[in-house]
Amino acid sequence: MSAAEHTHTPVTDPFRPPRRASRVVRVGGVPIGGGHPVAVQSMTNTDTRDVAATLAQIDALAEAGCEIVRLAVLDEDAARALAAIRRAAPVPLVADIHFDHRLALMAVDAGLDGLRINPGNIGGAAQVDAVVRAAKAAGVPMRIGVNSGSVDKRLLARFGGPTPEAMVESALEHVRLLEERDFFDIKISVKASSVPATIAAYRLLAGRCDYPLHIGVTEAGTPGRGTVKSSVGLGVLLYHGIGDTLRVSLTGDPVAEMDVAWELLRALGLRARGPEIVSCPTCGRTEIALAELARAVEERLRPVTDVFTVAVMGCVVNGPGEARGADIGIAGGRGKGLIFRRGEVVRTVRGAENLLPEFMAELEKFLEERKKETP
């Protein structure tokens, strides 16, 4: 079952500006833009020539909620592996192409669902013509992607460096090459490693075209720092209605990007996948092993994709109120805990050593009941 099938349709948030209007591009079965849900994507870091390893990572990404996966196509051997990967992959795939237009043609022939390519750096007019013809015939969209480190030297000189204006102008120059050939199945990204530069570039770009935008902070860093940078940059853009698909870029296993992406969307009320776990930060009033309990609950619920709320609270000040508002929750006190389900106390647990096993037992019962309720 796809991630989209596990997500809810959010209510309109009166505090969030409306989403930017854009045309729709389809990557396989995933619509991007036009008010459709913000799609979550990532990129494999395996050797694409290794079909088994690449498919294993694609499967892991899909299981974690990734809806589109991009693959680096470095050479013809990698391009020749694409057909086998496409046949077995559970989600749409995008080929990441640089400089060699022949790799783009091979990717389209292999059945990939999208291209990430900048037509200005794949050769002359004849090469661009060939890629456009192939993409049109197969119904394959292209993403124009400009990073602050890849801006043309001519534009760097004109704008005085890789400024937001330079990135946007670079992207639109590539776009014009496609528009001149009557190709409009396009999405665009303008990423920088600087959060303010990324925000400024996307805001500028959003006002200059109606193509759907792929947003991200490039080279954001290791999971700790990269999560903060991505959450700030993407959160600001999404709050202001900018962004139709996103990637959280973290150094390391790309599967880790999924938790950040979905929690970011949940925090903004845009989409949700899996349970929301509400737990207090602990303080001097905490009288139970709250961190242990919260970690155990989080780990147990990691594979669950249904949307509901679990509260794990550590004291009697805020705990009972928060837990009562959850689908299931526990509020701890001195040597005891109250287990709530949808506002009703279902059990009082005595003895600190019993809190974790008793709440986990109640949680398992709750999950079994949800399975029976789901058609």
Side-chain angles (χ1 to χ4, degrees), residues 28 55 58 71 81-94 110-113:
L55 278 172
I58 292 170
L71 312 175
L82 294 177
I85 296 170
R86 173 59 281 171
R87 284 194 296 270
V91 293
L93 303 179
V94 174
L112 263 68
D113 306 280

Coordinates of all heavy atoms in Angstrom, one line a residue, residues 28 55 58 71 81-94 110-113:
G28 N 5.2 9.2 -13.1 CA 4.5 8.0 -13.0 C 3.1 8.2 -12.5 O 2.4 9.1 -13.1
L55 N 17.8 -1.8 -5.7 CA 16.4 -2.2 -5.4 C 16.1 -2.4 -4.0 O 15.1 -2.0 -3.5 CB 16.1 -3.5 -6.2 CG 15.7 -3.3 -7.7 CD1 15.6 -4.7 -8.3 CD2 14.4 -2.6 -7.8
I58 N 15.7 1.1 -2.7 CA 14.4 1.6 -3.1 C 13.3 1.0 -2.3 O 12.3 1.8 -1.9 CB 14.2 1.4 -4.7 CG1 15.2 2.2 -5.5 CG2 12.8 1.7 -5.1 CD1 15.2 1.8 -6.9
L71 N 17.7 8.2 -9.2 CA 18.9 7.4 -9.3 C 20.0 8.1 -10.1 O 19.7 8.8 -11.1 CB 18.6 6.1 -10.1 CG 17.4 5.3 -9.6 CD1 17.2 4.1 -10.6 CD2 17.5 4.8 -8.2
A81 N 21.4 -0.7 -16.5 CA 20.7 -1.4 -15.3 C 19.4 -0.9 -15.0 O 18.6 -1.5 -14.3 CB 21.6 -1.2 -14.1
L82 N 19.0 0.2 -15.6 CA 17.7 0.9 -15.3 C 16.5 0.1 -15.6 O 15.5 0.1 -14.9 CB 17.6 2.3 -16.0 CG 18.7 3.3 -15.5 CD1 18.5 4.6 -16.4 CD2 18.5 3.6 -14.1
A83 N 16.5 -0.6 -16.7 CA 15.3 -1.4 -17.1 C 14.9 -2.4 -16.0 O 13.8 -2.6 -15.6 CB 15.5 -2.0 -18.4
A84 N 15.9 -3.2 -15.5 CA 15.7 -4.2 -14.5 C 15.2 -3.5 -13.2 O 14.3 -4.1 -12.5 CB 16.9 -5.0 -14.3
I85 N 15.8 -2.4 -12.9 CA 15.4 -1.7 -11.7 C 14.0 -1.2 -11.8 O 13.1 -1.3 -10.9 CB 16.4 -0.5 -11.4 CG1 17.8 -1.1 -11.1 CG2 15.9 0.3 -10.2 CD1 18.8 0.0 -11.0
R86 N 13.6 -0.6 -13.0 CA 12.3 -0.1 -13.2 C 11.2 -1.2 -13.1 O 10.2 -1.0 -12.5 CB 12.2 0.6 -14.5 CG 10.9 1.1 -15.0 CD 10.2 2.1 -14.1 NE 9.6 1.4 -13.0 CZ 9.0 2.1 -12.0 NH1 9.1 3.4 -11.9 NH2 8.5 1.4 -11.0
R87 N 11.5 -2.4 -13.6 CA 10.5 -3.5 -13.6 C 10.2 -3.9 -12.2 O 9.0 -4.2 -11.9 CB 11.1 -4.7 -14.4 CG 11.0 -4.5 -15.9 CD 11.2 -5.8 -16.6 NE 12.6 -6.4 -16.3 CZ 13.6 -6.1 -17.1 NH1 13.5 -5.3 -18.1 NH2 14.8 -6.7 -16.8
A88 N 11.1 -3.8 -11.3 CA 10.9 -4.3 -9.9 C 10.6 -3.2 -8.9 O 10.2 -3.6 -7.8 CB 12.1 -5.1 -9.5
A89 N 10.8 -2.0 -9.2 CA 10.6 -0.9 -8.2 C 9.2 -0.6 -7.9 O 8.3 -0.6 -8.9 CB 11.3 0.4 -8.7
P90 N 8.8 -0.4 -6.7 CA 7.4 -0.2 -6.3 C 7.0 1.3 -6.4 O 5.8 1.6 -6.2 CB 7.4 -0.6 -4.8 CG 8.7 -0.3 -4.3 CD 9.7 -0.5 -5.5
V91 N 7.9 2.2 -6.8 CA 7.5 3.6 -6.8 C 8.1 4.2 -8.1 O 9.0 3.6 -8.7 CB 8.1 4.4 -5.6 CG1 7.4 4.0 -4.4 CG2 9.6 4.2 -5.5
P92 N 7.6 5.4 -8.6 CA 8.2 6.0 -9.8 C 9.7 6.3 -9.6 O 10.1 6.7 -8.5 CB 7.4 7.3 -9.9 CG 6.1 7.0 -9.2 CD 6.4 6.1 -8.1
L93 N 10.4 6.3 -10.7 CA 11.9 6.5 -10.6 C 12.3 7.7 -11.6 O 11.7 7.8 -12.7 CB 12.6 5.3 -11.1 CG 12.4 4.0 -10.3 CD1 13.2 2.8 -10.9 CD2 12.7 4.2 -8.8
V94 N 13.2 8.5 -11.1 CA 13.7 9.6 -11.9 C 15.2 9.4 -12.1 O 16.0 9.0 -11.2 CB 13.5 10.9 -11.1 CG1 14.2 12.1 -11.9 CG2 12.0 11.2 -11.0
A110 N 14.4 2.8 -21.0 CA 14.3 1.9 -19.9 C 13.0 2.0 -19.2 O 12.7 1.2 -18.3 CB 15.5 2.0 -19.0
G111 N 12.2 3.0 -19.5 CA 10.9 3.2 -18.8 C 10.9 4.0 -17.6 O 9.9 4.0 -16.8
L112 N 11.9 4.8 -17.3 CA 11.9 5.6 -16.1 C 10.9 6.7 -16.3 O 10.5 7.1 -17.4 CB 13.3 6.2 -15.9 CG 14.1 5.4 -14.8 CD1 14.4 4.0 -15.4 CD2 15.3 6.1 -14.3
D113 N 10.4 7.2 -15.1 CA 9.2 8.0 -15.1 C 9.6 9.5 -15.1 O 8.6 10.3 -15.3 CB 8.5 7.7 -13.8 CG 8.2 6.3 -13.6 OD1 7.2 5.8 -14.2 OD2 8.9 5.6 -12.9

